[in-house]
Structure formats: structure tokens, C-alpha cells
Amino acid sequence: MDMKLLICDDDLVFAEALRRFLEEALPDTVQFQVCGDRNRLLKLLKGNNRCNLLLMDICLEEDNGICLVKELLTRFSQLPVIFITGYPDLYYEKVFLSLRPYGFVKKPVNKQLLLALIKRAAEEIRRTRQDARQWILLKTKNRMEKIPVAQIRYVESQKHMLIIHGIGNTWETYGRLGDMASELPDCFFHCHKSFLVNAHYIQSYEGSYFTLDDGSRISISQNRRKETRVRFFGYLGQE
């Protein structure tokens, strides 16, 4: 379960207590952040702090959580939200008429129900990521192209260009190899500052380079050899 979870509640004592419980109950791969108002919430949702699941209190000190979520969904349309409130009868109908929340939990929180909702959200996130990683969308010189990940043998970096070597085709786009690596599944090894290689096409491993099924040789840099070796044999199921 690899996800970022954000708790927004103006009762920071409650929010921190909830965070501590979830940290103990969920795997270490779940990251938590806590905030108590609109401004801090918006700041945390931007950039690299974007979360995968929002636990939102309906009655914020200076805001209505339902209205705030409506506003957020115009900017973060895929953000799943679980509402938390001490007044379920007052807000239940309004929430489900105006929004489609991922869940609705009343205070005091039924912790097992909340855990079940979070785990279900994590499973949907995992499936969505898996589906998304079957393709990458590239901006080439003349157009946007959707490329099947399974057809990529390796990716090569030359200055500011990325050259994607596929089966029967080659694509060029501007970008950084590290950013490309984060978009591709774990079968791609960042074995050299200039290369990402798809393990599915590795024919042999010689310590300092891979030979692919088409005869291409992909160098393995000295400082990446240990990590690459572990990942390669892990991929083969031998370690």
C-alpha cells in the first residue's frame, strides 16, 4: 500500500490522534500529513505533496468542508475523499446529493470502518497505477503519441533528448531520464545515467553491461552495478 494520505480537521488534537492510530495500523509505505484549514490544505495538495486520499472534516472553523471539496474537485478531479463529521444526520443527505464521496464516517470514528475504506481506496489506487503504466504518453516533434510500455526495449538519454527504442520503432522526446523512470514499471532498470532498460528484453548479463534480444548492449555504470545486480536477480526470482 504505497500512498499519501492527508487529514484535514480544525481539531488538531483529534487529527494527530487519528494520524498516530493510522500510522500504527497501516504499512510504513503510507505517508501522512495533517492540516487544519483551507490555506494549508491547498498548499499541501500542490506539487509533489499531492495526496492520494483526503480525510476531510465537514465542520472546519471558517469553512464548510463540503463546499471546500467541491472547489477542490474542480482542480483535483481524481482525488478520493472520505468525510468525517460529528453531525452525520445533518450532513449525510447533502453530501451524497451534491458529491460522490469515497466514504462517510461519523465521530467518534469507527476505526475498523475507516481502515476498511482506506484499504479499499489503496487497492483502487494500485489498480489505477497498474493500468496507467501499461502506456506512456509522449510529446514528439509533431504530435502526442500513446506508446505501449511492453514494446519499449530501452530508453536512452542524449543531452536534453530521450530516445525510446521500441520494437520496430523509435521515438524522440524532450525530457529527463529520472522523470521517465518514475513513469515506468519496476521491470525498467536505471542501470546507467544514460540508460533505462526493460528487463523483459535482457538476453544476458555480463556485470558491466546487458545484452538485449536484438543484440543491443546497454552499459551498467560502476556506481549502479550493485543495485542493478540485486534488482536483476530479484527480477529473475533467484534472490
Side-chain angles (χ1 to χ4, degrees):
M1 186 189 296
D2 185 4
M3 64 188 297
K4 292 183 179 181
L5 191 151
L6 176 55
I7 302 168
C8 183
D9 195 304
D10 60 356
D11 183 347
L12 292 178
V13 174
F14 165 81
E16 287 292 343
L18 184 59
R19 178 186 62 79
R20 289 193 297 271
F21 163 74
L22 293 174
E23 279 184 334
E24 293 178 1
L26 295 171
D28 292 340
T29 51
V30 180
Q31 300 176 39
F32 297 90
Q33 292 176 307
V34 172
C35 65
D37 60 71
R38 166 191 291 265
N39 291 336
R40 179 64 176 159
L41 175 61
L42 290 172
K43 184 176 180 180
L44 289 174
L45 285 173
K46 293 178 180 177
N48 294 329
N49 292 313
R50 196 179 96 192
C51 74
N52 303 114
L53 180 64
L54 172 63
L55 306 186
M56 169 63 78
D57 183 24
I58 290 180
C59 297
L60 295 175
E61 190 171 283
E62 299 179 356
D63 255 310
N64 180 300
I66 299 172
C67 296
L68 181 52
V69 167
K70 282 184 181 178
E71 179 183 328
L72 291 175
L73 291 177
T74 64
R75 302 171 61 181
F76 310 98
S77 60
Q78 302 303 312
L79 177 64
V81 179
I82 296 175
F83 283 106
I84 299 176
T85 182
Y87 309 95
D89 294 337
L90 183 61
Y91 293 107
Y92 187 86
E93 184 174 324
K94 184 177 181 181
V95 165
F96 283 92
L97 281 176
S98 59
L99 297 166
R100 298 182 64 184
Y102 199 85
F104 190 95
V105 179
K106 67 178 181 178
K107 296 180 180 178
V109 171
N110 181 329
K111 293 179 178 178
Q112 295 310 310
L113 171 61
L114 181 58
L115 281 176
L117 289 172
I118 292 172
K119 288 177 180 178
R120 191 177 72 182
E123 177 59 24
E124 290 196 7
I125 290 167
R126 185 194 65 79
R127 287 199 300 267
T128 300
R129 286 175 177 169
Q130 190 175 50
D131 291 342
R133 289 193 169 194
Q134 292 179 5
W135 303 83
I136 57 171
L137 192 63
L138 287 182
K139 184 178 181 181
T140 58
K141 291 181 179 179
N142 301 316
R143 57 183 176 177
M144 297 293 291
E145 293 195 51
K146 188 178 180 183
I147 300 172
V149 168
Q151 293 189 18
I152 299 174
R153 279 196 172 91
Y154 66 99
V155 183
E156 180 181 2
S157 174
Q158 292 186 6
K159 295 184 179 179
H160 300 296
M161 295 295 299
L162 295 179
I163 304 170
I164 294 89
H165 298 266
I167 299 175
N169 205 347
T170 300
W171 301 270
E172 293 185 1
T173 187
Y174 289 101
R176 297 189 303 175
L177 203 61
D179 294 337
M180 176 68 73
S182 67
E183 295 182 26
L184 295 170
D186 292 341
C187 61
F188 281 82
F189 302 162
H190 197 168
C191 58
H192 188 281
K193 67 178 182 179
S194 299
F195 293 106
L196 280 170
V197 61
N198 188 343
H200 294 313
Y201 295 103
I202 295 173
Q203 191 73 31
S204 65
Y205 166 56
E206 303 296 334
S208 61
Y209 63 88
F210 290 119
T211 301
L212 305 190
D213 63 337
D214 65 347
S216 300
R217 280 193 176 187
I218 306 300
S219 297
I220 304 170
S221 59
Q222 182 69 41
N223 63 338
R224 296 177 187 264
R225 286 181 189 175
K226 182 178 179 180
E227 178 188 353
T228 299
R229 180 180 182 277
V230 170
R231 289 193 61 191
F232 177 64
F233 284 105
Y235 170 78
L236 294 179
Q238 297 178 13
E239 289 191 353

